[in-house]
PDB file of all heavy atoms in Angstrom:
ATOM      1  N   ASN A  19     100.493  85.690  98.728  1.00 98.00           N
ATOM      2  CA  ASN A  19      99.933  84.328  98.743  1.00 98.00           C
ATOM      3  C   ASN A  19      98.435  84.335  98.537  1.00 98.00           C
ATOM      4  O   ASN A  19      97.871  83.471  97.888  1.00 98.00           O
ATOM      5  CB  ASN A  19     100.223  83.654 100.091  1.00 98.00           C
ATOM      6  CG  ASN A  19     101.667  83.274 100.229  1.00 98.00           C
ATOM      7  OD1 ASN A  19     102.546  84.044  99.870  1.00 98.00           O
ATOM      8  ND2 ASN A  19     101.937  82.089 100.753  1.00 98.00           N
ATOM      9  N   HIS A  69     103.134  81.785  96.215  1.00 98.00           N
ATOM     10  CA  HIS A  69     103.855  81.834  97.491  1.00 98.00           C
ATOM     11  C   HIS A  69     105.053  82.783  97.416  1.00 98.00           C
ATOM     12  O   HIS A  69     106.132  82.405  96.929  1.00 98.00           O
ATOM     13  CB  HIS A  69     104.331  80.435  97.877  1.00 98.00           C
ATOM     14  CG  HIS A  69     105.087  80.424  99.161  1.00 98.00           C
ATOM     15  ND1 HIS A  69     104.504  80.711 100.372  1.00 98.00           N
ATOM     16  CD2 HIS A  69     106.404  80.205  99.419  1.00 98.00           C
ATOM     17  CE1 HIS A  69     105.420  80.657 101.324  1.00 98.00           C
ATOM     18  NE2 HIS A  69     106.574  80.355 100.781  1.00 98.00           N
ATOM     19  N   GLY A  70     104.847  84.010  97.876  1.00 98.00           N
ATOM     20  CA  GLY A  70     105.898  85.021  97.847  1.00 98.00           C
ATOM     21  C   GLY A  70     105.264  86.394  97.931  1.00 98.00           C
ATOM     22  O   GLY A  70     104.046  86.514  98.123  1.00 98.00           O
ATOM     23  N   ILE A  71     106.084  87.409  97.783  1.00 98.00           N
ATOM     24  CA  ILE A  71     105.547  88.766  97.903  1.00 98.00           C
ATOM     25  C   ILE A  71     106.250  89.699  96.919  1.00 98.00           C
ATOM     26  O   ILE A  71     107.434  89.503  96.594  1.00 98.00           O
ATOM     27  CB  ILE A  71     105.678  89.282  99.365  1.00 98.00           C
ATOM     28  CG1 ILE A  71     104.825  90.528  99.598  1.00 98.00           C
ATOM     29  CG2 ILE A  71     107.123  89.516  99.740  1.00 98.00           C
ATOM     30  CD1 ILE A  71     104.627  90.846 101.072  1.00 98.00           C
ATOM     31  N   ASP A  89     110.736  93.358  96.670  1.00 98.00           N
ATOM     32  CA  ASP A  89     110.693  91.933  96.315  1.00 98.00           C
ATOM     33  C   ASP A  89     109.948  91.698  94.991  1.00 98.00           C
ATOM     34  O   ASP A  89     109.207  92.563  94.521  1.00 98.00           O
ATOM     35  CB  ASP A  89     110.093  91.078  97.441  1.00 98.00           C
ATOM     36  CG  ASP A  89     111.039  90.983  98.633  1.00 98.00           C
ATOM     37  OD1 ASP A  89     112.221  91.353  98.484  1.00 98.00           O
ATOM     38  OD2 ASP A  89     110.590  90.551  99.707  1.00 98.00           O
ATOM     39  N   SER A 117     114.321  91.820  99.981  1.00 98.00           N
ATOM     40  CA  SER A 117     114.314  91.789 101.451  1.00 98.00           C
ATOM     41  C   SER A 117     115.322  90.784 101.993  1.00 98.00           C
ATOM     42  O   SER A 117     115.957  91.012 103.017  1.00 98.00           O
ATOM     43  CB  SER A 117     112.918  91.463 101.978  1.00 98.00           C
ATOM     44  OG  SER A 117     112.516  90.165 101.573  1.00 98.00           O
ATOM     45  N   HIS A 118     115.443  89.655 101.314  1.00 98.00           N
ATOM     46  CA  HIS A 118     116.425  88.636 101.710  1.00 98.00           C
ATOM     47  C   HIS A 118     116.529  87.605 100.599  1.00 98.00           C
ATOM     48  O   HIS A 118     115.695  87.543  99.704  1.00 98.00           O
ATOM     49  CB  HIS A 118     116.034  87.971 103.031  1.00 98.00           C
ATOM     50  CG  HIS A 118     114.757  87.176 102.969  1.00 98.00           C
ATOM     51  ND1 HIS A 118     113.545  87.743 102.648  1.00 98.00           N
ATOM     52  CD2 HIS A 118     114.493  85.860 103.169  1.00 98.00           C
ATOM     53  CE1 HIS A 118     112.602  86.815 102.672  1.00 98.00           C
ATOM     54  NE2 HIS A 118     113.130  85.672 102.967  1.00 98.00           N
ATOM     55  N   HIS A 120     115.834  84.503  99.304  1.00 98.00           N
ATOM     56  CA  HIS A 120     114.941  83.346  99.326  1.00 98.00           C
ATOM     57  C   HIS A 120     114.163  83.398  98.019  1.00 98.00           C
ATOM     58  O   HIS A 120     113.653  84.460  97.644  1.00 98.00           O
ATOM     59  CB  HIS A 120     113.962  83.410 100.513  1.00 98.00           C
ATOM     60  CG  HIS A 120     114.258  82.461 101.621  1.00 98.00           C
ATOM     61  ND1 HIS A 120     113.818  82.682 102.906  1.00 98.00           N
ATOM     62  CD2 HIS A 120     114.925  81.279 101.652  1.00 98.00           C
ATOM     63  CE1 HIS A 120     114.221  81.667 103.675  1.00 98.00           C
ATOM     64  NE2 HIS A 120     114.882  80.816 102.935  1.00 98.00           N
ATOM     65  N   ARG A 121     114.050  82.271  97.369  1.00 98.00           N
ATOM     66  CA  ARG A 121     113.525  82.253  96.005  1.00 98.00           C
ATOM     67  C   ARG A 121     112.078  82.771  95.897  1.00 98.00           C
ATOM     68  O   ARG A 121     111.671  83.281  94.844  1.00 98.00           O
ATOM     69  CB  ARG A 121     113.611  80.816  95.475  1.00 98.00           C
ATOM     70  CG  ARG A 121     113.166  80.644  94.059  1.00 98.00           C
ATOM     71  CD  ARG A 121     114.199  81.150  93.066  1.00 98.00           C
ATOM     72  NE  ARG A 121     113.676  81.080  91.705  1.00 98.00           N
ATOM     73  CZ  ARG A 121     114.400  81.183  90.604  1.00 98.00           C
ATOM     74  NH1 ARG A 121     115.706  81.369  90.689  1.00 98.00           N
ATOM     75  NH2 ARG A 121     113.856  81.115  89.418  1.00 98.00           N
ATOM     76  N   ASP A 122     111.295  82.657  96.972  1.00 98.00           N
ATOM     77  CA  ASP A 122     109.909  83.149  96.886  1.00 98.00           C
ATOM     78  C   ASP A 122     109.860  84.683  96.843  1.00 98.00           C
ATOM     79  O   ASP A 122     108.802  85.269  96.617  1.00 98.00           O
ATOM     80  CB  ASP A 122     109.035  82.606  98.023  1.00 98.00           C
ATOM     81  CG  ASP A 122     109.645  82.759  99.394  1.00 98.00           C
ATOM     82  OD1 ASP A 122     110.880  82.702  99.516  1.00 98.00           O
ATOM     83  OD2 ASP A 122     108.880  82.932 100.360  1.00 98.00           O
ATOM     84  N   HIS A 123     111.028  85.314  97.039  1.00 98.00           N
ATOM     85  CA  HIS A 123     111.119  86.780  96.955  1.00 98.00           C
ATOM     86  C   HIS A 123     111.922  87.241  95.736  1.00 98.00           C
ATOM     87  O   HIS A 123     111.750  88.359  95.272  1.00 98.00           O
ATOM     88  CB  HIS A 123     111.751  87.339  98.238  1.00 98.00           C
ATOM     89  CG  HIS A 123     110.939  86.979  99.437  1.00 98.00           C
ATOM     90  ND1 HIS A 123     110.134  87.870 100.089  1.00 98.00           N
ATOM     91  CD2 HIS A 123     110.757  85.781 100.058  1.00 98.00           C
ATOM     92  CE1 HIS A 123     109.498  87.246 101.067  1.00 98.00           C
ATOM     93  NE2 HIS A 123     109.856  85.981 101.064  1.00 98.00           N
ATOM     94  N   GLU A 238     118.170  89.208 106.185  1.00 98.00           N
ATOM     95  CA  GLU A 238     116.832  89.806 106.075  1.00 98.00           C
ATOM     96  C   GLU A 238     116.851  91.274 106.533  1.00 98.00           C
ATOM     97  O   GLU A 238     117.446  91.623 107.549  1.00 98.00           O
ATOM     98  CB  GLU A 238     115.806  89.022 106.904  1.00 98.00           C
ATOM     99  CG  GLU A 238     114.440  89.679 106.918  1.00 98.00           C
ATOM    100  CD  GLU A 238     113.309  88.784 106.419  1.00 98.00           C
ATOM    101  OE1 GLU A 238     113.461  87.566 106.438  1.00 98.00           O
ATOM    102  OE2 GLU A 238     112.262  89.343 106.035  1.00 98.00           O
ATOM    103  N   GLY A 255     109.627  91.412 104.467  1.00 98.00           N
ATOM    104  CA  GLY A 255     109.485  90.413 103.410  1.00 98.00           C
ATOM    105  C   GLY A 255     108.960  89.097 103.922  1.00 98.00           C
ATOM    106  O   GLY A 255     107.868  88.657 103.578  1.00 98.00           O
ATOM    107  N   CYS A 256     109.766  88.458 104.771  1.00 98.00           N
ATOM    108  CA  CYS A 256     109.343  87.180 105.361  1.00 98.00           C
ATOM    109  C   CYS A 256     109.310  87.256 106.884  1.00 98.00           C
ATOM    110  O   CYS A 256     108.760  86.364 107.518  1.00 98.00           O
ATOM    111  CB  CYS A 256     110.279  86.064 104.943  1.00 98.00           C
ATOM    112  SG  CYS A 256     109.467  84.722 104.065  1.00 98.00           S
ATOM    113  N   GLY A 257     109.936  88.250 107.454  1.00 97.00           N
ATOM    114  CA  GLY A 257     109.907  88.377 108.912  1.00 97.00           C
ATOM    115  C   GLY A 257     110.720  87.314 109.629  1.00 97.00           C
ATOM    116  O   GLY A 257     110.437  86.997 110.784  1.00 97.00           O
ATOM    117  N   HIS A 258     111.760  86.763 108.973  1.00 97.00           N
ATOM    118  CA  HIS A 258     112.557  85.735 109.655  1.00 97.00           C
ATOM    119  C   HIS A 258     113.301  86.307 110.856  1.00 97.00           C
ATOM    120  O   HIS A 258     113.684  85.574 111.764  1.00 97.00           O
ATOM    121  CB  HIS A 258     113.566  85.108 108.680  1.00 97.00           C
ATOM    122  CG  HIS A 258     112.911  84.362 107.575  1.00 97.00           C
ATOM    123  ND1 HIS A 258     111.951  83.395 107.789  1.00 97.00           N
ATOM    124  CD2 HIS A 258     113.055  84.440 106.225  1.00 97.00           C
ATOM    125  CE1 HIS A 258     111.555  82.907 106.625  1.00 97.00           C
ATOM    126  NE2 HIS A 258     112.193  83.531 105.665  1.00 97.00           N
ATOM    127  N   GLY A 283     105.241  89.836 105.148  1.00 98.00           N
ATOM    128  CA  GLY A 283     105.309  88.506 105.747  1.00 98.00           C
ATOM    129  C   GLY A 283     105.779  88.579 107.190  1.00 98.00           C
ATOM    130  O   GLY A 283     106.848  89.107 107.467  1.00 98.00           O
ATOM    131  N   HIS A 285     105.953  85.828 109.032  1.00 97.00           N
ATOM    132  CA  HIS A 285     106.386  84.439 109.253  1.00 97.00           C
ATOM    133  C   HIS A 285     105.918  83.828 110.583  1.00 97.00           C
ATOM    134  O   HIS A 285     106.723  83.406 111.419  1.00 97.00           O
ATOM    135  CB  HIS A 285     107.896  84.244 109.097  1.00 97.00           C
ATOM    136  CG  HIS A 285     108.178  82.832 108.682  1.00 97.00           C
ATOM    137  ND1 HIS A 285     108.264  82.433 107.369  1.00 97.00           N
ATOM    138  CD2 HIS A 285     108.263  81.697 109.413  1.00 97.00           C
ATOM    139  CE1 HIS A 285     108.407  81.131 107.309  1.00 97.00           C
ATOM    140  NE2 HIS A 285     108.406  80.651 108.551  1.00 97.00           N
ATOM    141  N   HIS A 313     101.654  87.068 102.813  1.00 98.00           N
ATOM    142  CA  HIS A 313     102.637  86.029 102.496  1.00 98.00           C
ATOM    143  C   HIS A 313     102.649  84.907 103.543  1.00 98.00           C
ATOM    144  O   HIS A 313     101.728  84.128 103.602  1.00 98.00           O
ATOM    145  CB  HIS A 313     104.002  86.699 102.307  1.00 98.00           C
ATOM    146  CG  HIS A 313     105.106  85.764 101.992  1.00 98.00           C
ATOM    147  ND1 HIS A 313     104.926  84.635 101.231  1.00 98.00           N
ATOM    148  CD2 HIS A 313     106.440  85.776 102.336  1.00 98.00           C
ATOM    149  CE1 HIS A 313     106.083  83.988 101.131  1.00 98.00           C
ATOM    150  NE2 HIS A 313     107.003  84.659 101.791  1.00 98.00           N
ATOM    151  N   CYS A 314     103.667  84.865 104.390  1.00 98.00           N
ATOM    152  CA  CYS A 314     103.876  83.726 105.300  1.00 98.00           C
ATOM    153  C   CYS A 314     103.332  83.995 106.699  1.00 98.00           C
ATOM    154  O   CYS A 314     103.754  83.339 107.654  1.00 98.00           O
ATOM    155  CB  CYS A 314     105.371  83.445 105.378  1.00 98.00           C
ATOM    156  SG  CYS A 314     106.298  84.942 105.790  1.00 98.00           S
TER     157      CYS A 314
HETATM  158 FE1  LIG B   1     109.181  84.255 102.110  1.00 82.51          FE
END
Side-chain angles (χ1 to χ4, degrees):
N19 287 43
H69 179 67
I71 194 165
D89 289 347
S117 63
H118 65 299
H120 253 157
R121 183 76 185 195
D122 49 328
H123 300 255
E238 175 123 22
C256 239
H258 295 308
H285 207 91
H313 179 35
C314 52

